[in-house]
Amino acid sequence: MKKVVWGIAAVFLLAGMAWADSRPGIIPQMQECMQSHGSPAQYTAVLQKYCDPGIMRQAMGLLVIKKPYVIKTEQNGAAVCYTVEGTTEETSREIPADSLQTYNVCWENGRVVSLEFYGAKPRVHQEIIPEMRECMRAHGSPAEYEAVLKKYCDPDIIRQAMGLLVVKEPYVVKTERKGPLTIYTVEGRTVGTSSEIPSDVVQRYRVSWRNAKVVSLEFLGPKTAAGKP
């Protein structure tokens, strides 16, 4: 019994320390850009504040992406880079509706310094249920994360899943269907909390859903340099 109590306490301690980590988040300028997709005029006005003309011409193409959200943050020297996803609105035969598009944008000194389009994700990655997306986006604080888990997990799985809060900005790398189950393999970098859990290690886990509930959770350990479990 003591081991169980200590295990649960350790999970919550790690979660709290992860939340307190000072690694780069989403800067206000990036948030402003992502929230300005309501109209061309609004979006243009925001881009003019943060982009040179060449990048602005590129960025106008992003207006067809509705409700973009960051799935990965990286510090590259003085620049902070974000990998972003969002579903497109249909604007022409060349740009189909409801395709999941991905792009990367880098900021330095409050200005956009680079923009790269990755194109549409394969359909398998687009089939992420809303409940799974909600869980992955809830890593901002222990309280927020626990509240979301309570909606979709039984108590035993909640105790397991709280340990995932040390994984920042998780993203799905594989989707599988097995009968009534939808199974996601997820990756994300850890926030360093102890010598046992080093920072900036890509950890992997697998989560299975059925009828909008998490039914199993499996930790796969760190990703190797070759990208194999």
Side-chain angles (χ1 to χ4, degrees), residues 101-115:
Q101 298 286 329
T102 310
Y103 63 93
N104 182 270
V105 57
C106 292
W107 293 75
E108 189 172 340
N109 297 324
R111 302 280 296 177
V112 177
V113 294
S114 70
L115 180 62

Side-chain angles (χ1 to χ4, degrees), residues 10-57:
V11 165
F12 278 88
L13 176 62
L14 293 175
M17 295 178 74
W19 177 56
D21 184 79
S22 60
R23 295 179 183 278
I26 303 175
I27 61 174
Q29 297 92 331
M30 180 66 181
Q31 292 176 339
E32 185 180 359
C33 285
M34 291 193 298
Q35 293 166 4
S36 67
H37 286 226
S39 71
Q42 178 190 18
Y43 189 55
T44 300
V46 172
L47 292 181
Q48 287 174 338
K49 295 167 60 177
Y50 304 122
C51 303
D52 292 336
I55 290 179
M56 188 170 170
R57 283 191 291 272

Side-chain angles (χ1 to χ4, degrees), residues 64-98:
V64 299
I65 297 177
K66 57 186 178 183
K67 297 180 181 177
Y69 52 91
V70 171
I71 60 170
K72 187 177 182 181
T73 304
E74 295 178 286
Q75 185 81 50
N76 291 333
V80 180
C81 299
Y82 303 101
T83 302
V84 184
E85 287 184 356
T87 305
T88 59
E89 295 179 344
E90 187 169 7
T91 57
S92 70
R93 287 178 296 179
E94 290 74 27
I95 304 176
D98 294 325

Side-chain angles (χ1 to χ4, degrees), residues 5-201:
V5 172
W6 276 109
I8 295 172
V11 165
F12 278 88
L13 176 62
L14 293 175
M17 295 178 74
W19 177 56
D21 184 79
S22 60
R23 295 179 183 278
I26 303 175
I27 61 174
Q29 297 92 331
M30 180 66 181
Q31 292 176 339
E32 185 180 359
C33 285
M34 291 193 298
Q35 293 166 4
S36 67
H37 286 226
S39 71
Q42 178 190 18
Y43 189 55
T44 300
V46 172
L47 292 181
Q48 287 174 338
K49 295 167 60 177
Y50 304 122
C51 303
D52 292 336
I55 290 179
M56 188 170 170
R57 283 191 291 272
Q58 283 183 280
M60 284 304 296
L62 299 176
L63 188 57
V64 299
I65 297 177
K66 57 186 178 183
K67 297 180 181 177
Y69 52 91
V70 171
I71 60 170
K72 187 177 182 181
T73 304
E74 295 178 286
Q75 185 81 50
N76 291 333
V80 180
C81 299
Y82 303 101
T83 302
V84 184
E85 287 184 356
T87 305
T88 59
E89 295 179 344
E90 187 169 7
T91 57
S92 70
R93 287 178 296 179
E94 290 74 27
I95 304 176
D98 294 325
S99 63
L100 189 63
Q101 298 286 329
T102 310
Y103 63 93
N104 182 270
V105 57
C106 292
W107 293 75
E108 189 172 340
N109 297 324
R111 302 280 296 177
V112 177
V113 294
S114 70
L115 180 62
E116 181 180 1
F117 293 90
Y118 293 154
K121 272 195 168 183
R123 176 59 61 180
V124 68
H125 291 296
Q126 298 183 34
E127 297 172 354
I128 303 175
I129 60 175
E131 296 85 353
M132 179 66 180
R133 291 190 185 278
E134 184 179 0
C135 287
M136 291 193 297
R137 295 178 194 171
H139 285 225
S141 73
E144 177 190 12
Y145 188 53
E146 187 177 12
V148 171
L149 292 179
K150 285 179 177 178
K151 295 167 61 176
Y152 305 121
C153 305
D154 290 335
D156 287 346
I157 291 180
I158 289 177
R159 285 191 286 271
Q160 280 185 282
M162 284 302 295
L164 297 176
L165 191 56
V166 300
V167 177
K168 60 182 181 182
E169 295 160 5
Y171 50 93
V172 170
V173 296
K174 185 178 181 182
T175 303
E176 301 173 90
R177 306 286 188 193
K178 291 187 178 179
L181 299 179
T182 301
I183 304 168
Y184 301 105
T185 301
V186 184
E187 293 182 0
R189 287 193 175 272
T190 58
V191 175
T193 57
S194 70
S195 57
E196 290 75 24
I197 304 178
S199 63
D200 288 326
V201 173

